[in-house]
Amino acid sequence: MNGFSRKCFGLQRRRNGFDMKTYSKVGACLIFFTVVLIFIFQDTALDSITRFATTSFSDTGSEDSCLSRNQSVLYRKSSPHKPSSYLVSKLRSYEELHKRCGPHTDSYKRSMKQLKSSKIDHNSTDCRYVVWVADCGLGNRMLSITSAFLYALLTNRVLLIDQEYEMVDLFCEPFPTTSWILPDDFPFKDKLRGFNQKCSYSYGNLLKNNTINYSTQLLPSYLYLYLCHDGDHYDQLFFCDQDQALLNKVPWLIMKSNVYFLPSMFLMSSFDQELDKLFPDKETVFHHLGRYLFYPSDRVWGLITKYYQDHLAKAEKRIGIQIRIFDAKTSPFESVMEQILACTKKEKLLPEVGTGKSVASPSKNQTSKVILVTSLFRGYFEKLKKMYGEHPIKTGEVVSVYQPSHEREQQTWENSHNLQAWAEIYLLSLSDELVTSAWSTFGYVAQGLRGIRPLILYKIDRTIPDPPCGRGVSMEPCYHAPPIFDCKAQSTTLDIGALVPHVRHCEDISWGLKLFNSS
């Protein structure tokens, strides 16, 4: 079995997984439930957004349980980032909308008739939808789903996910008593994956060819939106208020995206007031929405909890190091390894080792650290493990190093790969400290779910940067391919990273955009 071994990720649980062997059974149960209650009441940010811990989806034919929704408070530290009461209220309202308009409801069936007729019946349109279509790896997908969900919140649409095989059984259903999965009998569902920028029916191409314009009266019942990294000027007109007024009239929007386009919505005047009420703390948007949307399925949760209990639970400090190599020629192994060690030394994150051989036996009074390495390659893990295994540690600490998998190549279209990737993202998000790679959406998701600003390993281009890393100024993900066109000024010469205080350029990509707190 590639990646996680059966030994590491077997689904059988230890009888005493939380080290309560010395207590009686009754005492153990009392302590366990006391810990649960303490975690639940501490983590008000997570608890106030989570609907209730025992959601059942059996009525809709979707999943029967979601263990991670119940048990995540046992693994996550309490978040200091509290959601606004307005966001919580908005999410409750959305849940009611999704329940009324979701798959197989009467409203959905009426909307299906409109979709098939290609004509808008304004008298019977009581629900509107945005259908998300996948592209690229899991990190990109989770970021673009979050962006699509915020767009649905802002425009009173229902979000449906075109779930292909490679995404089956990754996440729990996020909304109570209903599903966000696009039904298999959706018209032209088999053609959605083939939708691309060249599609003549995309919104950008219809504008480009003047097939529709802002004064068009007879609009179609659906439009394709191409919001991927290589979208052109016409595709990116989606982010203009005038275009949103037009799109608002179309019941079905089918959106293909592989980027975190969410920051651009904070530049639009039509959404400005609502976003201020939803997110007074601008760098917590993904933190709150990501924690709300993405709970590991029971299958993935079994992998996470088994690995955590076997390797991470007893450590006093957990340090996640996420390594993403985009080009081995410009980022050779030795240079990246040197960068990692220089960064962790500069930031005093990992203890230094001596030059001699390690001979001291661990004592009970020694503090312990665990390093969790995630990478497609095994070399970084082996180097760190050898360093701490063969040499004395100057601080006297005990350091263990683990890596769950090393697949060498990303396998975006493989379900097993994505199950593994999601487990590793979640394990990283349980770290006390995070070191992430520049440009990596995998790292962005982990830092956002954790709710911390990571140390960012700056991108190597044949030479190691000086400094080798830096602390993120915001924990928000970066939008890698933002539009360069300012809708209001009708110009491409303005710096869109300087239009508002809370949308600026990213620490790791100079042309990217991300959300910051203006202070």
Side-chain angles (χ1 to χ4, degrees):
M1 179 178 178
N2 290 332
F4 295 113
S5 68
R6 287 188 176 89
K7 180 180 178 182
C8 291
F9 269 9
L11 295 181
Q12 289 186 344
R13 299 178 184 277
R14 288 182 173 175
R15 191 172 181 180
N16 295 300
F18 292 92
D19 292 329
M20 295 185 288
K21 295 179 180 178
T22 58
Y23 297 95
S24 68
K25 291 183 179 180
V26 174
C29 290
L30 288 173
I31 290 172
F32 177 79
F33 283 109
T34 300
V35 171
V36 172
L37 289 173
I38 289 171
F39 271 104
I40 289 174
F41 285 109
Q42 278 185 336
D43 199 355
T44 54
L46 180 60
D47 186 60
S48 61
I49 284 187
T50 304
R51 294 149 309 280
F52 38 85
T54 56
T55 302
S56 172
F57 297 98
S58 57
D59 292 341
T60 62
S62 50
E63 62 187 292
D64 297 321
S65 69
C66 182
L67 294 174
S68 63
R69 203 188 310 278
N70 300 0
Q71 298 174 5
S72 59
V73 291
L74 299 173
Y75 296 86
R76 286 200 182 285
K77 290 192 174 182
S78 178
S79 171
H81 311 290
K82 311 307 176 186
S84 68
S85 58
Y86 188 76
L87 172 59
V88 175
S89 174
K90 188 79 172 180
L91 292 173
R92 297 297 87 81
S93 298
Y94 176 83
E95 289 163 7
E96 290 301 315
L97 174 67
H98 201 108
K99 183 177 180 180
R100 177 169 60 86
C101 298
H104 311 301
T105 61
D106 290 341
S107 296
Y108 177 83
K109 291 173 184 176
R110 286 194 295 271
S111 295
M112 278 289 96
K113 291 180 180 178
Q114 282 195 80
L115 181 65
K116 292 174 181 177
S117 70
S118 298
K119 295 180 181 178
I120 301 175
D121 182 355
H122 294 285
N123 295 321
S124 65
T125 302
D126 54 350
C127 296
R128 296 177 307 145
Y129 301 84
V130 55
V131 176
W132 175 86
V133 180
D135 194 22
C136 289
L138 184 62
N140 295 70
R141 295 182 186 207
M142 294 176 73
L143 295 178
S144 63
I145 287 173
T146 305
S147 302
F149 178 65
L150 180 57
Y151 180 69
L153 275 186
L154 294 171
T155 57
N156 295 312
R157 291 180 179 272
V158 171
L159 174 65
L160 298 177
I161 303 298
D162 179 33
Q163 179 182 262
E164 296 288 351
Y165 160 76
E166 68 271 10
M167 288 186 66
V168 170
D169 201 22
L170 293 186
F171 309 112
C172 296
E173 290 277 6
F175 314 124
T177 68
T178 186
S179 177
W180 69 341
I181 305 302
L182 187 71
D184 288 336
D185 60 358
F186 183 77
F188 48 84
K189 187 178 188 298
D190 58 334
K191 298 179 180 178
L192 292 181
R193 172 155 280 183
F195 166 48
N196 57 41
Q197 189 183 20
K198 296 179 181 179
C199 175
S200 59
Y201 295 101
S202 73
Y203 179 61
N205 283 322
L206 290 174
L207 286 176
K208 186 187 300 184
N209 300 327
N210 203 30
T211 306
I212 63 173
N213 55 51
Y214 302 125
S215 60
T216 300
Q217 295 297 315
L218 294 176
L219 292 169
S221 60
Y222 68 92
L223 284 172
Y224 286 115
L225 302 171
Y226 187 78
L227 301 181
C228 291
H229 68 283
D230 55 349
D232 64 17
H233 166 73
Y234 290 95
D235 296 315
Q236 294 180 339
L237 289 175
F238 168 85
F239 298 108
C240 294
D241 292 301
Q242 186 178 13
D243 293 76
Q244 282 302 317
L246 186 154
L247 293 170
N248 193 51
K249 302 172 185 176
V250 180
W252 286 88
L253 298 177
I254 299 170
M255 175 189 293
K256 189 166 193 175
S257 173
N258 62 358
V259 288
Y260 188 63
F261 63 83
L262 185 152
S264 281
M265 288 187 273
F266 282 77
L267 298 175
M268 300 168 67
S269 59
S270 55
F271 298 146
D272 190 41
Q273 291 184 355
E274 185 76 354
L275 287 169
D276 275 344
K277 290 190 291 184
L278 288 169
F279 301 105
D281 185 351
K282 296 297 187 292
E283 72 168 288
T284 62
V285 179
F286 181 78
H287 177 66
H288 292 317
L289 295 184
R291 283 193 170 198
Y292 172 80
L293 290 172
F294 303 116
Y295 280 91
S297 68
D298 286 358
R299 182 182 177 189
V300 178
W301 189 241
L303 308 182
I304 292 167
T305 54
K306 182 64 167 64
Y307 197 87
Y308 184 91
Q309 290 167 18
D310 282 353
H311 302 300
L312 309 179
K314 294 181 182 179
E316 292 169 275
K317 191 166 187 178
R318 286 166 284 276
I319 299 162
I321 302 180
Q322 180 262 331
I323 305 164
R324 179 71 162 98
I325 305 300
F326 294 95
D327 187 343
K329 292 181 180 179
T330 58
S331 302
F333 170 80
E334 291 299 337
S335 296
V336 175
M337 193 69 237
E338 185 179 339
Q339 181 188 23
I340 293 168
L341 295 176
C343 172
T344 54
K345 180 179 179 180
K346 171 179 173 288
E347 299 294 333
K348 296 180 171 59
L349 193 59
L350 297 179
E352 293 186 57
V353 297
T355 56
K357 292 289 183 180
S358 180
V359 293
S361 300
S363 70
K364 292 182 179 179
N365 296 325
Q366 288 176 310
T367 58
S368 62
K369 289 182 178 179
V370 164
I371 303 170
L372 179 70
V373 178
T374 66
S375 173
L376 291 172
F377 306 98
R378 188 172 173 82
Y380 306 102
F381 155 75
E382 290 177 338
K383 192 87 171 181
L384 286 168
K385 187 174 179 64
K386 183 177 181 180
M387 183 176 80
Y388 285 109
E390 296 184 357
H391 301 282
I393 298 171
K394 292 182 178 179
T395 58
E397 295 172 280
V398 176
V399 178
S400 302
V401 187
Y402 299 103
Q403 179 175 355
S405 72
H406 51 282
E407 294 197 344
R408 298 193 62 83
E409 291 183 0
Q410 185 170 329
Q411 302 170 49
T412 298
W413 311 112
E414 289 294 329
N415 182 254
S416 60
H417 173 87
N418 288 322
L419 289 169
Q420 185 172 287
W422 177 211
E424 291 191 25
I425 288 173
Y426 200 96
L427 286 167
L428 278 176
S429 78
L430 301 177
S431 302
D432 299 298
E433 281 279 3
L434 262 180
V435 181
T436 62
S437 295
W439 298 34
S440 175
T441 56
F442 195 103
Y444 294 161
V445 175
Q447 76 195 36
L449 293 178
R450 174 62 177 87
I452 58 174
R453 300 171 181 176
L455 285 170
I456 303 171
L457 295 168
Y458 297 132
K459 196 167 185 293
I460 291 180
D461 188 3
R462 292 185 170 84
T463 59
I464 300 172
D466 185 17
C469 63
R471 179 70 63 180
V473 186
S474 167
M475 63 189 184
E476 271 287 297
C478 179
Y479 178 12
H480 286 179
I484 60 172
F485 179 78
D486 179 57
C487 301
K488 296 176 183 177
Q490 297 288 303
S491 169
T492 59
T493 59
L494 291 179
D495 180 4
I496 59 171
L499 296 177
V500 295
H502 50 273
V503 180
R504 293 182 294 185
H505 293 297
C506 309
E507 305 98 324
D508 56 335
I509 298 181
S510 60
W511 60 86
L513 286 184
K514 70 185 298 184
L515 295 170
F516 294 80
N517 283 323
S518 54
S519 59

